[in-house]
């Protein structure tokens, strides 16, 4: 009877049951590039890089910090609170309702999470913008978090690493969100005055006012493969100038070829690369404090560290995962002399002929 009660009856009940089993929504994930279906657990174990296509999918901020620090151990840096809805903004919904939904979905207070810990034994402070929280937009709380993280790095005398991912400034906070651009720029200057490395990792996507401010003020700019990095998106530019844009325009590899980023590194080699760069820049900063810092326009270069940029590139490329820049054809190169000549020719062609003008004109 025990066998019937414990085995047979549960199986019959399971077959006759009409209730649907709960299946997680993200059990399978589709690759945006190839359409390949990947089991979520396999994708998570591979740092959210699709195994077949090497497509780098977005990561949330706790996962970023977990993969960055030694053993996944880090301490969250507390951030001062700010006013939630200073402008009492409302469009289709109240801004406060949008914030509540974003906090409930992400379990975060705002778009930026700051943590401190050890990276290969060296103390670092890192900030991650989470695109899930209102597209990682820059508001008062996000700006305060970034400034707090940078000042914490100054206090600990450690490098500061930023993982940027944002759609730009947060429109619901108006001018108050735009004011975070100069505020964070001043905080970056505090890092430079302290001769501490400021390393920016540009992830997909990094756009708008974030690109126009602190995301492009780092000592070293590292991009993930295929990341969209721009101020205005390619669709907006194409509709404005009414011309076909080059393939891969504003992607990480295109910007590497045109000198906007220093290197493109695979996510699996990113931690090792960041460790090498931090150790190299910190050693250079210590040498610079002992000797006279190399001056450029009256200010210390490379945060006061006398480190050659070629040395940084060589150390980073030892990982074997740094993408080499493509050769830019002459048709895409900018030559100031030719540009001025074309502008002068166009101006002379559009100007009226003085000799043919009437005397009474």
């Amino acid at each position: 009877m025990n066998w019937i009660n414990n085995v047979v009856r549960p199986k019959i009940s399971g077959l006759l049951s009409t209730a649907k089993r709960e299946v997680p929504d993200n059990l399978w994930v589709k690759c945006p590039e190839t359409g390949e279906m990947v089991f979520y657990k396999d994708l998570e174990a591979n740092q959210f890089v699709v195994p077949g296509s090497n497509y780098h999918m977005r990561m949330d901020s706790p996962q970023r910090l977990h993969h960055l620090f030694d053993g996944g151990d880090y301490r969250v840096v507390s951030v001062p609170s700010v006013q939630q809805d200073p402008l009492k903004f409302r469009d289709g919904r109240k801004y406060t309702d949008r914030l509540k939904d974003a906090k409930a979905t992400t379990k975060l207070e705002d778009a930026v999470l700051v943590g401190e810990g050890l990276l290969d034994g060296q103390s670092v402070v890192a900030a991650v913008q989470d695109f899930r929280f209102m597209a990682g937009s820059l508001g008062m709380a996000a700006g305060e978090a970034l400034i707090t993280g940078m000042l914490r790095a100054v206090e600990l005398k450690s490098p500061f690493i930023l993982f940027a991912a944002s759609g730009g400034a947060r429109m619901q906070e108006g001018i108050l969100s735009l004011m975070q651009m100069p505020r964070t720029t001043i905080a970056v200057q505090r890092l430079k005055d302290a001769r501490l490395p400021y390393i920016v990792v540009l992830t997909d996507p990094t756009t708008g006012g974030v690109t126009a401010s602190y995301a492009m003020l780092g000592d070293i700019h590292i991009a993930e493969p295929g990341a969209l990095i721009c101020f205005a998106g390619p669709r907006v530019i194409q509709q404005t100038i009414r011309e076909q844009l080059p393939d891969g325009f504003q992607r990480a590899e295109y910007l590497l070829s045109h000198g906007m980023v220093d290197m493109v590194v695979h996510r699996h080699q990113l931690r090792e690369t960041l460790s090498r760069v931090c150790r190299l820049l910190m050693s250079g900063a210590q040498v610079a404090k002992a000797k006279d810092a190399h001056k450029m326009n009256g200010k210390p270069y490379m945060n006061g560290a006398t480190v050659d940029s070629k040395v940084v590139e060589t150390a980073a490329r030892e990982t074997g995962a740094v993408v080499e820049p493509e050769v830019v054809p002459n048709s895409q190169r900018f030559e100031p002399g030719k540009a001025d000549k074309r502008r002068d020719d166009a101006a002379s062609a559009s100007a009226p002929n003085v000799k043919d003008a009437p005397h009474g004109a």
Side-chain angles (χ1 to χ4, degrees):
M1 289 296 293
N2 290 337
W3 177 76
I4 294 175
N5 293 332
N6 295 335
V7 178
V8 177
R9 284 184 178 178
K11 285 188 176 181
I12 295 174
S13 300
L15 292 173
L16 297 178
S17 177
T18 57
K20 295 182 179 179
R21 293 191 303 172
E22 294 183 1
V23 179
D25 295 334
N26 62 346
L27 185 62
W28 292 89
V29 180
K30 184 177 181 180
C31 175
E33 192 173 78
T34 62
E36 175 188 1
M37 298 299 294
V38 185
F39 190 51
Y40 180 81
K41 291 296 183 181
D42 295 338
L43 187 65
E44 186 179 24
N46 203 39
Q47 298 187 34
F48 292 90
V49 178
V50 180
S53 62
N54 264 337
Y55 182 87
H56 287 53
M57 304 194 74
R58 294 168 186 168
M59 293 178 65
D60 59 40
S61 50
Q63 291 166 338
R64 284 278 185 191
L65 295 179
H66 175 78
H67 286 290
L68 175 67
F69 292 107
D70 295 346
D73 297 328
Y74 63 92
R75 189 182 73 85
V76 176
V77 177
S78 59
V79 178
S81 59
V82 298
Q83 190 175 352
Q84 291 293 313
D85 188 10
L87 303 181
K88 308 299 179 185
F89 189 91
R90 178 171 184 169
D91 45 10
R93 298 174 58 199
K94 290 183 179 179
Y95 177 41
T96 52
D97 294 340
R98 295 184 184 274
L99 286 175
K100 288 179 182 178
D101 291 345
K103 290 180 180 180
T105 303
T106 62
K107 310 300 183 191
L108 299 173
E109 288 301 315
D110 208 84
V112 177
L113 180 64
V114 184
E116 63 179 55
L118 298 178
L119 175 60
D120 283 345
Q122 54 185 334
S123 175
V124 297
V125 179
V128 184
Q129 290 185 268
D130 201 317
F131 197 79
R132 300 175 303 159
F133 197 104
M134 299 187 69
S137 52
L138 175 63
M140 295 173 60
E144 198 67 38
L146 289 167
I147 294 171
T148 302
M150 294 178 186
L151 296 181
R152 179 62 177 166
V154 173
E155 180 183 350
L156 297 177
K157 295 181 174 57
S158 63
F160 183 77
I161 302 173
L162 169 68
F163 292 86
S166 177
R170 190 171 298 175
M171 56 169 283
Q172 289 86 352
E173 296 184 13
I175 189 63
L176 298 176
S177 67
L178 297 178
M179 285 304 298
Q180 306 311 310
M181 297 168 63
R183 292 185 72 231
T184 51
T185 302
I186 294 173
V188 171
Q189 187 60 44
R190 292 285 298 273
L191 284 171
K192 294 183 181 297
D193 293 340
R195 296 178 178 177
L196 295 172
Y198 172 41
I199 303 169
V200 181
V201 181
L202 302 165
T203 68
D204 182 69
T206 303
T207 63
V210 172
T211 308
S213 55
Y214 58 86
M216 284 299 165
L217 296 178
D219 299 308
I220 302 292
H221 293 94
I222 303 173
E224 288 191 334
L228 177 65
I229 305 165
C230 61
F231 178 73
R235 182 181 60 187
V236 176
I237 295 176
Q238 188 163 324
Q239 291 174 351
T240 303
I241 66 176
R242 301 183 184 280
E243 291 185 11
Q244 187 65 32
L245 299 176
D247 293 336
F249 183 69
Q250 293 182 326
R251 295 289 173 177
E253 293 77 9
Y254 183 90
L255 298 181
L256 176 66
S257 300
H258 290 75
M260 191 170 178
V261 299
D262 296 303
M263 60 186 82
V264 177
V265 182
H266 194 281
R267 187 175 292 169
H268 291 169
Q269 303 296 330
L270 185 57
R271 185 179 185 275
E272 183 180 354
T273 302
L274 288 172
S275 174
R276 288 174 180 271
V277 172
C278 286
R279 200 173 297 278
L280 180 63
L281 293 182
M282 287 300 291
S283 63
Q286 293 172 0
V287 172
K289 290 179 181 179
K291 300 178 180 179
D292 292 333
H294 176 65
K295 298 285 184 174
M296 180 174 289
N297 294 332
K299 295 182 179 180
Y301 178 67
M302 189 70 78
N303 288 353
T306 56
V307 180
D308 189 0
S309 60
K310 293 183 178 179
V311 178
V312 177
E313 291 184 12
T314 303
R317 284 186 170 83
E318 290 179 2
T319 61
V322 179
V323 178
E324 294 293 338
E326 298 179 357
V327 179
V328 179
N330 293 329
S331 59
Q332 296 185 16
R333 293 184 180 274
F334 175 74
E335 298 183 13
K338 292 184 178 180
D340 295 339
K341 186 177 184 301
R342 286 195 298 266
R343 189 162 49 247
D344 295 340
D345 294 341
S348 60
S350 60
N353 194 342
V354 180
K355 293 182 179 180
D356 297 336
H359 292 286

